[in-house]
Amino acid sequence: MHGQVLINNQVTDWKGHVWVDSPGGNEDPFVFSQRWLYSYCHATQLKRSPSNTAYVTGGSYLFFCSGDAANQGVIQLDTVFVVDHAAIWPNNQQGLPEEFQQDYENPKSDLWERHFKYPFLGQHQGKYTYVSRHWFDNKDEYSFSPISESGERVAFDINVLNPNLQSLVASRIKGKYPVLLSEEDKTELLKLTLSLTNVQVIGNLTQQYKKISSIDCCKSNCKASYVNIVEGSKQTC
């Protein structure tokens, strides 16, 4: 994988591994565009208030991690996704959110071929797409893939978290369901992640494929006050 990263708060070009959904399938979140996108994999289960609009608002954090590792008591992160806004899909699955209409049924669009077409194939329901906030937009709160000093995903044992957060996460691992968290829990999770992160992959990703065994992924939202743990396939690039 080639991309731009932060190392010691300096932006630099980089080549290494990141962990993403299997290319050629439903890539969600989709990280190969200027703004990363999250549309389907349990996104519609995240709490909404009122019920017909996205509860996850700008500045919300989504932590994506391995469900297989969570089953073993380990939080293993591949993406920290900071939401910029939610793009609402039209009713009755007629086209894409307005800002992505140019990609609708466009075979030359990677966004269509690799992310947006799946509701129209009957594989998902399009309700809204969370659009990421990146370092290039906001240097205080931004999306990144956390890479450890060893070049692997950042990982830590669940039992290093505060007892309440341990209990919340553990209660939702089976079934991979969303878990409500407090702002304090989000802050703890983010601080711990950053303390173990050597490289923050922040964007402009291009890929070379190296397939590995499928794993689960977990999605965590903290500022909007819950964790979402879901199943999915991941591979390195």
Side-chain angles (χ1 to χ4, degrees), residues 123-142:
Q123 297 182 19
H124 291 282
Q125 183 179 11
K127 288 189 175 181
Y128 40 83
T129 291
Y130 295 118
V131 181
S132 73
R133 180 183 298 169
H134 276 198
W135 184 87
F136 305 102
D137 308 314
N138 185 319
K139 294 177 175 58
D140 294 322
E141 292 189 321
Y142 54 87

Side-chain angles (χ1 to χ4, degrees), residues 96 101-117:
L96 299 175
Q101 276 299 325
Q102 70 275 11
D103 299 293
Y104 181 59
E105 294 186 334
N106 181 358
K108 295 182 180 180
S109 167
D110 277 350
L111 291 183
W112 173 257
E113 289 295 325
R114 298 169 61 179
H115 186 70
F116 281 132
K117 71 180 181 181

